[in-house]
């Protein structure tokens, strides 16, 4: 039996007293209080089992957290969590194969995990709640057509002849709510200063090449070994993001005649491949970049052996924290922003931010109305704020109209350096409720990440000013790849399409430019033989006169 920590009883009492004050932080969405047997007024107490299908997710070490106590008071529901260790795709397939079903399922909104839960919906393994949406306005809003990426809406939400089985969670409500991880190239500040180059002066692909060449020519050493000009994390993540200097980055390009083509067939893809082959052959790119394990990659970084890193900024800050602390001035700063092929100078950064989660009620649910009541409350403004910040008056206060953390809890959370966020989890944060809290309104309703370390926040904000001078725009158009998979020849074509990443790596390591292009062209021919041209023609026909994504930076 898990036991509450010493202050647990006091916290629970404070949480209960603070419930009434939560309403003061809401916007215009409220949990349903009426509506027949589905309304929150019929708060029959029930325990529901929820599968949080994210590999490595974990819960609290206490029986009832302050956040869970508020949720129980508001909805009558106690949640019994189940977490996944291992493949999310295998897990979602396994629960339906064995019929070991939770009351509520929540998991990734993409890939095999999404395919598995859609399959379950089509097999009537999930509850159709279409006739109840009028009682749960927050859930209805989260899957309204205008609030869901169009291809996902067609594939997962509105794909069952009017029935509704799946909820989309965490889709940004506004562009301001989009979480931008700030993917890009970052350089150690001291190295940039040592070679006499302002990182923000590096704009073009030629500038970037010359920048790396200057680093190499400086013959710098760290830990007794040469400094690697450009490196990354395990298995090449995310070294290849330089592709956006050669084409739009969305995977498909406009050929100029109004028709689309997979970027793998474009001239820009050849240029991108040969550019990286040149970096590798001249010793500017880590020769082990695409084969190294995560521990090896991070060891190089922690020893100061990598000058430029490609990844998102939080990963770089985490990996370099100790080295930068021991070597003042060696922190990583943004390079560029680099040119974006085809983008106008004033274009906001297009980011493909698809909601993190789909959530469903399975046919095994012991109380469907209680499940809907829980989910609708979590998706209200009040529930959203509770899942992100904790209990008002206990963990935070409203100051000048903004949620502001109490110093006691800010310090406790900041001092939890275990990497497991156990202090937050024992208050009910980060244990899965945020995965079921409707549209992401972290800025439009909330006050941003109030628990973020302030120094780190300033660092991220400074990088954002550099890399996103025109702001961001959450992509709302169709991704051609989501349409192509509906073509009758897709199953025959897919194995060839899946080889493009491996072919690119093989080409980058080729002995000559001619050999590299030969590798690409051979796969292109294989793709044509397995139905690419017919599938691409079908995709173009389906997307005629629709908004299509051809410009996208990594997120």
């Amino acid at each position: 039996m898990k036991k509450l920590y010493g202050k647990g009883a006091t916290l629970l009492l404070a949480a209960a007293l603070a419930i009434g004050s939560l309403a003061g932080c809401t916007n215009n969405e409220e949990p349903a209080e009426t509506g027949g047997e589905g309304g929150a007024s019929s708060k029959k107490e029930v325990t529901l089992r929820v599968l949080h299908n994210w590999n490595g997710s974990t819960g609290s070490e206490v029986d009832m957290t302050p956040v869970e106590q508020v949720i129980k008071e508001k909805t009558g529901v106690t949640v019994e969590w189940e977490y996944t260790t291992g493949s999310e795709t295998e897990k979602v397939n396994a629960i339906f194969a064995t019929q070991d079903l939770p009351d509520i399922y929540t998991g990734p909104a993409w890939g095999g995990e999404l395919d598995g839960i859609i399959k379950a919906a089509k097999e009537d393994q999930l509850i159709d709640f279409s006739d109840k949406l009028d009682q749960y306005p927050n859930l209805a809003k989260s899957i309204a057509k205008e609030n869901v990426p169009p291809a996902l809406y067609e594939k997962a939400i509105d794909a069952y002849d009017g029935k509704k089985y799946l909820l989309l969670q965490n889709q940004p409500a506004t562009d301001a709510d989009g979480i931008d991880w700030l993917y890009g190239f970052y350089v150690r500040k001291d190295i940039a200063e040592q070679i006499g180059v302002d990182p923000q002066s590096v704009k073009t692909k030629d500038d970037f090449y010359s920048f790396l060449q200057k680093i190499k020519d400086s013959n710098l050493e760290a830990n007794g070994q040469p400094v690697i000009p450009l490196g990354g994390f395990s298995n090449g993540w995310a070294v290849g993001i330089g592709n956006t200097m050669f084409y739009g980055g969305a995977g498909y390009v406009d050929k100029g005649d109004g028709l689309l083509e997979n970027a793998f067939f474009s001239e820009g893809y050849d240029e991108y491949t040969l550019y990286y082959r040149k970096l590798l052959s001249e010793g500017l790119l880590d020769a082990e970049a695409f084969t190294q394990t995560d521990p090896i990659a991070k060891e190089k970084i922690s020893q100061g052996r990598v000058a430029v890193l490609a990844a998102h900024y939080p990963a770089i800050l985490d990996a370099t924290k100790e080295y930068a602390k021991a070597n003042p001035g060696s922190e990583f700063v943004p390079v560029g922003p680099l040119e974006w092929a085809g983008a106008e100078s004033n274009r906001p950064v297009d980011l493909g931010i698809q909601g993190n989660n789909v959530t469903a009620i399975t046919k095994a649910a012991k109380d469907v109305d209680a499940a809907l009541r829980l989910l609708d409350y979590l998706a209200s403004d009040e529930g959203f704020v509770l899942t992100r910040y904790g209990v008002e008056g206990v963990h935070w206060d409203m100051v000048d109209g903004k949620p502001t953390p109490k110093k006691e809890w800010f310090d406790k959370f900041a001092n939890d350096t275990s990497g497991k966020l156990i202090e937050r989890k024992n208050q009910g944060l980060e244990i899965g409720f945020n995965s079921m809290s409707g549209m992401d309104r972290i800025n439009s309703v909330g006050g941003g990440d109030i628990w973020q370390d302030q120094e780190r926040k300033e660092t991220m904000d400074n990088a954002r000013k550099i890399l996103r001078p025109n702001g961001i725009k959450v992509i709302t158009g169709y991704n051609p790849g989501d349409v192509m998979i509906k073509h009758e020849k897709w199953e025959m074509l897919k194995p060839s399409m899946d080889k493009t990443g491996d072919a690119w790596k093989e080409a980058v390591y080729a002995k000559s430019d001619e050999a590299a292009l030969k590798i690409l062209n051979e796969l292109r021919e294989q793709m044509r033989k397995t139905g690419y041209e017919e599938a691409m023609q079908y995709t173009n026909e389906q997307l005629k006169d629709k908004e299509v994504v051809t410009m996208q930076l990594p997120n």
Side-chain angles (χ1 to χ4, degrees), residues 56-115:
S57 57
T58 58
S60 71
E61 294 179 340
V62 302
D63 287 328
M64 178 69 77
T65 68
V67 166
E68 288 175 305
Q69 181 66 32
V70 173
I71 290 170
K72 181 179 180 180
E73 292 287 341
K74 284 287 185 176
T75 67
V77 176
T78 298
V79 171
E80 179 183 286
W81 292 101
E82 178 185 350
Y83 299 97
T84 296
T85 301
S87 166
E88 292 98 342
T89 299
E90 291 178 7
K91 183 66 175 180
V92 73
N93 292 333
I95 63 172
F96 292 106
T98 64
Q99 290 296 291
D100 180 18
L101 300 176
D103 296 282
I104 298 173
Y105 167 92
T106 190
W110 53 75
E113 306 91 344
L114 178 61
D115 293 339

Side-chain angles (χ1 to χ4, degrees), residues 1 15 44 61 89 98 115 129 132 173 221-223 266 279 310 386 407 426 441 480 487 501 512-513 534:
M1 175 71 70
K44 180 179 71 175
E61 294 179 340
T89 299
T98 64
D115 293 339
F129 50 79
K132 294 179 179 289
E221 289 191 354
N223 202 45
S266 69
L279 296 182
L386 176 68
K407 187 176 187 305
N426 284 339
R441 290 150 284 165
H487 188 261
S512 67
D513 287 356
E534 296 94 325

Side-chain angles (χ1 to χ4, degrees), residues 380-405:
S380 70
D381 285 351
E382 178 181 319
F384 178 86
V385 171
L386 176 68
T387 66
R388 293 309 192 279
Y389 302 148
V391 182
E392 184 176 6
V394 175
H395 303 107
W396 59 277
D397 293 311
M398 191 69 74
V399 179
D400 296 330
K402 294 184 178 180
T404 303

Side-chain angles (χ1 to χ4, degrees), residues 270-331:
D270 285 352
E271 295 173 354
Y272 157 58
T273 304
L274 298 183
Y275 183 86
Y276 268 78
R277 200 196 78 78
K278 182 178 182 179
L279 296 182
L280 192 66
S281 64
E282 295 184 7
L284 305 181
L285 172 62
D286 187 357
E288 299 177 335
F290 301 104
T291 58
Q292 65 191 355
T293 63
D294 195 54
I296 289 175
K298 288 180 177 176
E299 181 181 16
K300 293 176 182 177
I301 295 168
S302 65
Q303 292 175 346
R305 293 175 51 205
V306 183
V308 178
L309 279 168
H312 63 58
Y313 208 14
I316 291 174
L317 292 174
D318 289 340
T320 62
K321 183 177 180 179
E322 295 304 317
Y323 186 86
K325 184 177 179 181
N327 300 272
S330 65
E331 64 272 15

